[in-house]
Amino acid sequence: MRPARRAPGFTPLAVLFGLFVLFLYGPIATIAVLSFQGPDGGLTFPMNGVSLRWFRALFERQASAISAARSRAPPCSA
């Protein structure tokens, strides 16, 4: 039994869809790769070293915000 043939417009639409997905997710993937940039870098190519500096800054800021929110909260009474 032979597989069914695809419609004649399938291939151009598949290519168009692939380009659309690349257009949507390409910038996100680029920023994700560049977030590992070293301390002297920004959003530039080629990368200037590799570092987790931006992630450390993000998590330190979140931890300080959480601790500040907890210190302002009224104590729970039982």
Side-chain angles (χ1 to χ4, degrees):
M1 196 168 174
R2 290 178 43 191
R5 293 194 67 198
R6 293 188 169 132
F10 176 80
T11 303
L13 285 177
V15 169
L16 185 64
F17 177 73
L19 291 173
F20 177 71
V21 168
L22 183 66
F23 175 77
L24 287 178
Y25 292 112
I28 295 170
T30 303
I31 297 297
V33 168
L34 289 176
S35 69
F36 293 101
Q37 186 87 265
D40 295 332
L43 295 178
T44 60
F45 281 109
M47 291 179 59
N48 298 326
V50 178
S51 170
L52 295 175
R53 171 183 156 208
W54 305 112
F55 293 104
R56 185 180 68 230
L58 172 70
F59 291 126
E60 285 175 354
R61 193 172 305 150
Q62 284 182 345
S64 64
I66 290 171
S67 65
R70 285 183 180 165
S71 66
R72 286 189 301 238
C76 296
S77 60

